[in-house]
Amino acid sequence: MPSRPIAYLCLALSMSLVGSYVALSKPLAATFPVLLLAWMRFGIGGVAMLGWLRKPADEPALAPQTRALLFLQSLLGNFLFTVCMIYGVSLTSATSAGVIMACIPACVAVMSWLFLRERVNARTWVAVACAVLGIALFALAKPEQAAHAAASSASAQANLQWLGYLLLLCASVCEAAYSVIGKKLTASLGPKRITSLINLWGFALSTPFGLYLMRDFDFATVPWGMWLLLVLYALAACMWTVWLWMTGLRAVPAAQGGVFTVLLPVSAALVGVLALGERFTPLQLLAFGLALASVVLATLPSRLALRVGR
């Protein structure tokens, strides 16, 4: 089991990478059909982790409950998160993902209260309210180009954006569930084994869609730079981030792990602004500030707990 400082570093690196590939999935989603992209992602990750599938000699056999949790974690945290996140970013922007996914710590707190029967104080409920308000403000912020478009075109674009916001919110809930389930799995399985098994489930779930979509897709039109980005995206999304997250959760309680999800929306928004040429409007900056305020409110008790050594 890693020491606390190493565990914190693993969690921080994991969420920073997740936020980065959330933003960089936008050009990939413009090149590949989303479900084909998801299938190729899991396939590349699976090849890279073939050696991780072997059961260690000191690891117990998979119990039925563990098998169910592995499937559920892959369904929510791998398959549905990937589909909702990529579709959501393709319909909105990386900065949108950054703002909306800032509600993940609050989602983790609510799920801990509902499913793990953990006590959630009033400060966390205020954090949930701030996150919802931030999401609502961001959804009301119109992109600049919409003001110059025709009314019908602007209306259609607004409807697509609302769908994108809803998908990103669903992705946030899936990511929160992934964190809660992951903590339970680390009690019986090693990080590499969890990473490889949930990726295998993700590949199985996406294979029917991938095989269907690849028939009509012209792979020869994809530039080599996009293939390189796909490989890096697959390794980061399927292998590096999951292994780092599971390694950190072995030594850190789930509530403290939720602190580090703040790095997901921050890095996603920063990559969108710095690498993809996006920018914040004043209303979006206010929404982002509210979302980050929700993160501070939701995680402050955990930080205080760290200081007093609980």
Side-chain angles (χ1 to χ4, degrees):
M1 182 178 295
S3 63
R4 282 298 178 92
I6 296 298
Y8 296 151
L9 178 61
C10 289
L11 294 172
L13 288 174
S14 176
M15 286 298 105
S16 297
L17 283 172
V18 171
S20 299
Y21 79 66
V22 164
L24 293 176
S25 66
K26 189 173 180 66
L28 287 170
T31 304
F32 300 98
V34 171
L35 290 172
L36 177 61
L37 174 60
W39 181 58
M40 292 190 296
R41 160 195 156 165
F42 292 127
I44 295 171
V47 172
M49 292 185 288
L50 284 175
W52 291 7
L53 285 171
R54 182 178 302 173
K55 186 179 82 68
D58 58 345
E59 185 178 280
L62 294 178
Q65 183 184 23
T66 303
R67 295 176 185 270
L69 288 175
L70 284 167
F71 171 76
L72 190 61
Q73 187 183 31
S74 182
L75 176 65
L76 296 174
N78 266 5
F79 182 70
L80 290 180
F81 172 78
T82 300
V83 172
C84 291
M85 180 270 296
I86 295 177
Y87 270 123
V89 173
S90 67
L91 293 175
T92 57
S93 64
T95 51
S96 301
V99 171
I100 294 176
M101 288 186 175
C103 72
I104 291 176
C107 291
V108 172
V110 172
M111 287 186 177
S112 299
W113 174 69
L114 287 174
F115 300 110
L116 301 181
R117 301 303 180 187
E118 295 181 357
R119 294 184 60 185
V120 181
N121 57 28
R123 187 192 300 271
T124 301
W125 294 121
V126 176
V128 174
C130 287
V132 172
L133 180 59
I135 293 170
L137 281 177
F138 195 89
L140 292 174
K142 296 288 193 299
E144 293 182 2
Q145 61 268 27
H148 304 288
S152 59
S153 176
S155 177
Q157 184 180 14
N159 291 334
L160 288 177
Q161 283 185 334
W162 275 102
L163 176 59
Y165 299 146
L166 179 60
L167 289 171
L168 288 171
L169 183 59
C170 290
S172 300
V173 174
C174 289
E175 180 68 16
Y178 163 86
S179 298
V180 173
I181 297 172
K183 179 59 182 177
K184 294 181 69 69
L185 286 173
T186 56
S188 57
L189 298 176
K192 291 183 178 180
R193 181 102 157 121
I194 296 173
T195 304
S196 60
L197 288 174
I198 64 174
N199 182 81
L200 187 62
W201 268 118
F203 181 74
L205 289 168
S206 59
T207 290
F209 305 100
L211 291 176
Y212 175 78
L213 291 170
M214 71 177 295
R215 298 182 308 169
D216 300 321
F217 185 77
D218 187 2
F219 291 94
T221 62
V222 180
W224 69 268
M226 199 59 61
W227 287 114
L228 177 60
L229 181 60
L230 172 61
V231 172
L232 293 175
Y233 164 68
L235 293 177
C238 295
M239 188 175 184
W240 300 334
T241 57
V242 183
W243 173 71
L244 286 168
W245 186 253
M246 295 303 164
T247 299
L249 282 182
R250 296 191 73 186
V252 176
Q256 292 180 6
V259 174
F260 294 89
T261 58
V262 65
L263 297 174
L264 192 161
V266 169
S267 58
L270 289 178
V271 170
V273 172
L274 298 177
L276 302 181
E278 300 175 1
R279 60 180 179 176
F280 286 119
T281 66
L283 187 57
Q284 289 171 340
L285 282 172
L286 175 60
F288 194 66
L290 282 171
L292 289 182
S294 76
V295 170
V296 173
L297 288 170
T299 59
L300 185 59
S302 293
R303 292 176 180 176
L304 290 177
L306 286 175
R307 289 179 183 177
V308 299
R310 291 179 185 174

